[in-house]
Amino acid sequence: MRTALFPEGFIWGVSTSAFQIEGATDRDGRGPSIWDAFAGGRYGDPACDHYLRHAEDVRLMRDLGIAAYRFSVSWPRVLPEGHGRVNGPGLDFYDRLVDELLAAGIAPYATLYHWDLPQALQDAGGWTARDTARHFADYARVVHDRIGDRVDTWFTFNEPWVAAFLGHASGVHAPGLRSAADAFVGAHHMLLAHGLGLEALRAGGAAKAGIVLNLSPVLTPAQLGDMSADVPEEDAEAAARIDTLHNRQFLEPVLRGRYPAELLPLIERIAGLGHIRDGDLGLIGRPVDLLGVNYYTPITVQAQPSAAADPAFPGSEGVLFSSVPTAVTAMGWPIMPNGLSLVLRRLSEDYPETELMITENGADFEDVVTGDGIHDVDRISFVEEHLRALRTSIDEGARVRGYLLWSLLDCVEWADGYRRKFGIVHVDFTTQRRLLKDSALWYRDVIKRNGLGSQRPKRPTLETVAARAGASRATVSRVVNGDTRVNPDVRAAVLRAVQELGYVPNAAARSLVTRRTDSVALVLSVPRHGGEALTSAVVQYVTSVLEGAGKQITLMLADTAESHRRIIRHVEARQVDGVVLVPPDGPDTLTERLARTGVPVVLLGKPVIASLVPHVDVDNAGGARAATRHLLDRGRRRIGVICGPMDLVAVQDRLNGHLATLHEDGLRPAIALAGLDGASGAAAARELLSGDRDLDAVFATSDELAIGAMETAREKGLRVPQDLAVVGFGDIHAASCTTPPLTTVRVPAADQALALARLLLSRLEGRHTSPVVLPTRLVVRATT
């Protein structure tokens, strides 16, 4: 491998953010932020205790040769109420930090907003209030007045897409709202704040100022292997729409002073355009000196006409977010270094005048603290491959002035708390002791030579462990594969060597004892309410197909925390080649844990994170659309929907399909939430009927709820279907036995089971696998 040097003057650095590392959330006058409220105080303090230990952290950076440090300023530490009263001790902290950085020869890069809005401003409307943008400009002025004489480079915002859409649409980030309209309004006001903040920084004499955006190439499955592949028109349209929502919604206003033309009708439909005022885009589009690029992973999509919108991408109806068949980080994010090249090539072609900096790039991996350090070879490999992609992009003409690795320290990873490890420096959160990982030492050498060496880092091998343990290679393989027949003393020596070296067995080591187990785990999480027929079909058909393919089936029940641990141990020990998982109705942690084992997993039903594992699902949104259209075609205009529980992805899709169909006819929804059983369906129907005495139809997201609605109709003396038409979903056995028989949406149980078995076989054969979505069918009976 040739040496890859970077241009002279290339800037090497690291990035962090205030909430993730500072701690001291109630010290020296700091006010609460939206993340303090959202996290409920679980992990904002002490975090990495950087507020008190920043001098130690600056020394670490100096010793590693870091040239630039991008930190964020905590808005509530400077202005506890968001505006007005300035907190002197808060500004004093950044004074000290900047002075220490300069004394260590490290250039300070300041980011003004990394998601920690003062809670006082949130209480006044947050980013949905236009005044927040003006308060941001005042905040920028206050900070620059104090440290602007020593800080050369400024960024207004970090990743406004995340703050707007994960914070306001999907609700997985602070402030935890779930309003697509608020997300679009908030995104615009953040961009407006960027423009006003840029104006304030320029007025104060800032040398360089810009913004940081998280950018990802949006690809179709066909393009993953070949960018020149022919792409179906509908898939190309899906990719273009997500690219507009994720990338161009921010690139175009900032760098061109306009919104993409195709985005405006979508915003108008969801949020209106009243929040976009004359002159706004002129402010937003003021020239930047530098665009910060955060890159982690690509986005892969394809057309799926019945797919409901992803909550984080309002307006993405008809788009299926697909899995990427590649290695993933511990976060489950696909590793695709050439995605960075695609992003930089696109920026160079579309915005050739813009100077760029990689402001975040890094990865979460499981770290093992050993007696002689933390040997995080996977992290080194991740960064090295992305740096090689970056070097290629620079050769192609990309104007990239530097690379800031994420992150200096293991820190609070937002809603994931302390369990994610992105740092090149390990932090023991109990003692706050810092420990350099191998990646930190490797990065120090990269900086020293201004590039990559000719040798790639080597991970500990099976032979290395064997030498340390004084055992044979075959014995080591038997131990790491879970063979309990090895002599206990030898086994202990091998496990000790594994721990000391931080050894992670690769596929070759796992298959040394046996190429394959030819066993498959069929994991059932029960009870699944109303799903007995489906569970039975899965057991019958998955067993039949896989046994016909020469596989042995291990049936495992996942109904307790201990059973989950047992299953994970079984799979991690590679005692099975693959897993078919039937998850529970409610919250599910087992899917993510199994996905991280590296063993092929297929899932019945769409998970919350659709790209987590390949899955088989039915067209829930399409079935709901067919049911609702059937009612509308029969003249029903006052239709109520009973849905629940709303934490089920299938229920969300069914509700979205119903709402979309009503919207097409200009009708407003009437929604009642319920549980799983008929009694809750009956109660929800009472709620609907008390709210609208002229209600003439009910669509329920399950047959059990629909049967409950029919009971309520009888209680109130209503005739079904003359006075009230009822439609369910599922076609359980009881649906054909009600009086009158229930119109419902049939879910193909046998087809799902067969698709699950075939999907797993495809994964075991190493073929690319995408989610399978099966059609549903409306079964019309007497209730309509």
Side-chain angles (χ1 to χ4, degrees), residues 21 124 414 426 434 444 447 505 556 575 614 622 627 649 673 776-777:
I21 69 167
W414 304 107
H426 168 77
R434 272 69 164 150
R444 178 195 60 191
I447 295 169
M556 308 185 79
Q575 295 184 38
V649 176
L673 301 181
T776 56
R777 183 169 69 86

Side-chain angles (χ1 to χ4, degrees), residues 708-768:
M710 292 171 65
E711 292 174 357
T712 293
R714 279 194 291 271
E715 287 174 7
K716 294 185 174 293
L718 299 176
R719 298 169 299 164
V720 177
Q722 293 89 336
D723 302 319
L724 186 72
V726 180
V727 181
F729 206 114
D731 200 22
I732 62 174
H733 177 71
S736 62
C737 304
T738 60
T739 305
L742 178 65
T743 292
T744 183
V745 177
R746 177 167 294 163
V747 175
D751 289 349
Q752 288 181 81
L754 289 169
L756 270 174
R758 292 165 182 156
L759 188 61
L760 183 62
L761 287 175
S762 294
R763 292 211 68 194
L764 294 177
E765 292 165 4
R767 298 201 300 268
H768 171 62

